[in-house]
Amino acid sequence: MDERKLQQHLAKSLVVVNIGSNDYINNYLMPSTYSSSSSYNPQQYADLLINHYTSHIMEVYNLGMRKFLLAAIGPLGCMPNQLATGLAPPGKCVAYVNDMAQAFNTRLTALVDQLNSNYTEATFVYGNTYGLFTEILNNPVFYGLSVTDRGCCGIGRNRGQITCLPFSIPCFNRDQYLFWHAYHPSQAFNEIVARRAYSGGSSDCYPMNVKQMALV
């Protein structure tokens, strides 16, 4: 492509950003390994992450991208790895971990508003993964799921203490599981999220869905 065609192509392309979870699960919530939780309270840490997030988004914007889907962090306190800690009552999630995720998501929503206001030739969309995750947790049968508190593949409590290893035997009804292993959701969940992000309402994607953004 010549430069003009390249810029047109980039401007029509969709950037999907789904980051942030590991900054908590593999950093902030591991105080024996990382010092971040002693250096920052949860609000300060969320601010730090969003500041870095913003700079990375602007780097991609400066390359010519103009359509962004920025996905929220899900309820991290509900994943098998966190349930396996035993810090939540039976049938509940680890509330203080979910509060951290919500602090990040609140700032990410504000960032989307700010970017849309400052860069009117671009479109930034907030993907409400947290809300959809919670909706599915509260009514899994409606979505064809039956197991929400443990991984399809893994070892230990909630199949979340050791993740899916080579030669491990996964569950046979994987399409009924919300989580594939200790950390990541299943293909069944990801399909639901993808469909809702594409054509869902404003509670799924704000201020528009992916299908609408493609037409902008």
Side-chain angles (χ1 to χ4, degrees):
M1 293 183 187
D2 60 30
E3 184 66 23
R4 182 182 62 84
K5 287 185 178 180
L6 174 60
Q7 290 303 312
Q8 290 174 344
H9 179 75
L10 292 177
K12 292 189 298 182
S13 300
L14 173 65
V15 180
V16 179
V17 185
N18 184 11
I19 57 175
S21 298
N22 286 350
D23 294 293
Y24 289 95
I25 297 299
N26 294 326
N27 189 307
Y28 196 79
L29 295 171
M30 298 177 65
S32 61
T33 305
Y34 299 101
S35 62
S36 52
S37 60
S38 60
S39 301
Y40 307 95
N41 64 38
Q43 302 300 321
Q44 292 169 334
Y45 192 64
D47 287 334
L48 176 70
L49 294 182
I50 290 297
N51 286 338
H52 284 294
Y53 198 122
T54 305
S55 65
H56 294 318
I57 291 297
M58 293 317 302
E59 287 182 32
V60 180
Y61 170 87
N62 289 332
L63 293 174
M65 311 302 288
R66 293 296 180 265
K67 299 177 188 287
F68 294 83
L69 174 62
L70 310 183
I73 292 178
L76 304 178
C78 301
M79 61 174 50
N81 168 264
Q82 290 301 300
L83 297 179
T85 63
L87 296 176
K92 301 292 185 181
C93 301
V94 183
Y96 80 92
V97 176
N98 281 351
D99 289 343
M100 293 180 191
Q102 285 286 57
F104 176 90
N105 291 337
T106 298
R107 287 160 174 76
L108 184 58
T109 307
L111 176 61
V112 165
D113 285 334
Q114 176 187 327
L115 292 173
N116 279 321
S117 176
N118 293 345
Y119 302 93
T120 54
E121 77 285 6
T123 305
F124 300 86
V125 169
Y126 172 77
N128 187 16
T129 313
Y130 190 103
L132 182 53
F133 224 121
T134 303
E135 184 180 319
I136 295 173
L137 281 168
N138 290 335
N139 191 11
V141 176
F142 179 81
Y143 294 94
L145 303 175
S146 59
V147 184
T148 62
D149 62 347
R150 59 187 183 275
C152 173
C153 186
I155 300 172
R157 186 174 185 174
N158 299 89
R159 289 191 181 179
Q161 291 176 298
I162 300 176
T163 194
C164 192
L165 298 174
F167 307 111
S168 296
I169 299 176
C171 64
F172 292 103
N173 55 337
R174 63 188 69 184
D175 287 340
Q176 296 179 27
Y177 275 67
L178 179 58
F179 290 97
W180 166 244
H181 62 175
Y183 303 99
H184 295 116
S186 65
Q187 178 176 291
F189 172 82
N190 287 330
E191 181 177 349
I192 296 168
V193 170
R195 291 181 183 277
R196 292 279 286 269
Y198 181 73
S199 58
S202 58
S203 63
D204 298 322
C205 279
Y206 165 84
M208 66 184 71
N209 60 38
V210 173
K211 183 178 181 181
Q212 293 166 332
M213 180 164 51
L215 300 175
V216 173

